Amino acid sequence: PPPPAIAKEVGTESSRTPHLVPMESIDPSLLVWWDEFDYEGPPDRKKWGYDAGGHGWGNAELQYYTERPVNAWVSNGALRIRAQLENYEGRRFTSARLVSKGKGDWTYGRVEA
């Protein structure tokens, strides 16, 4: 895989531009799970699952989490998650809640996003 990078936002509050900042290389043989987002479309079902519903998740969350492409997709090398103001299943907002449970589980390690 290509060297990892992190996004750093620069600019004013109204016009932030993400820039990739190179990070130290990681030995690929040590990686146990990753997604380079080098594809377009919905998140890879082999790596990502969805928690869908609008029951608050124990936090009194106001949105309804969906599996719809309008709320989660991959484009231009990034996972995009959008919260949207809309009436849906009795909630005023929709969003996506993606999880790797059962697809990328481990006890210890370093996580980079």
Side-chain angles (χ1 to χ4, degrees):
I6 59 171
K8 177 180 178 184
E9 291 196 11
V10 296
T12 66
E13 186 68 29
S14 62
S15 66
R16 293 193 174 193
T17 305
H19 294 276
L20 294 180
V21 178
M23 295 178 61
E24 66 182 79
S25 295
I26 298 172
D27 180 352
S29 68
L30 300 176
L31 295 175
V32 294
W33 188 93
W34 66 90
D35 194 337
E36 298 293 334
F37 304 115
D38 56 355
Y39 53 93
E40 301 281 321
D44 184 345
R45 288 282 188 166
K46 294 177 188 163
K47 297 177 180 178
W48 300 102
Y50 291 85
D51 282 343
H55 49 77
W57 303 97
N59 301 315
E61 296 181 30
L62 300 177
Q63 67 266 29
Y64 190 99
Y65 290 116
T66 78
E67 297 184 26
R68 300 180 310 157
V70 69
N71 293 119
W73 70 98
V74 175
S75 69
N76 297 320
L79 173 62
R80 315 288 177 153
I81 298 174
R82 174 187 292 146
Q84 189 163 297
L85 178 62
E86 63 177 321
N87 290 319
Y88 188 87
E89 298 292 328
R91 297 294 183 156
R92 293 190 56 220
F93 305 93
T94 59
S95 187
R97 182 177 171 125
L98 285 102
V99 295
S100 60
K101 185 176 181 180
K103 300 170 187 264
D105 300 334
W106 53 90
T107 304
Y108 302 103
R110 180 172 100 181
V111 175
E112 294 182 9

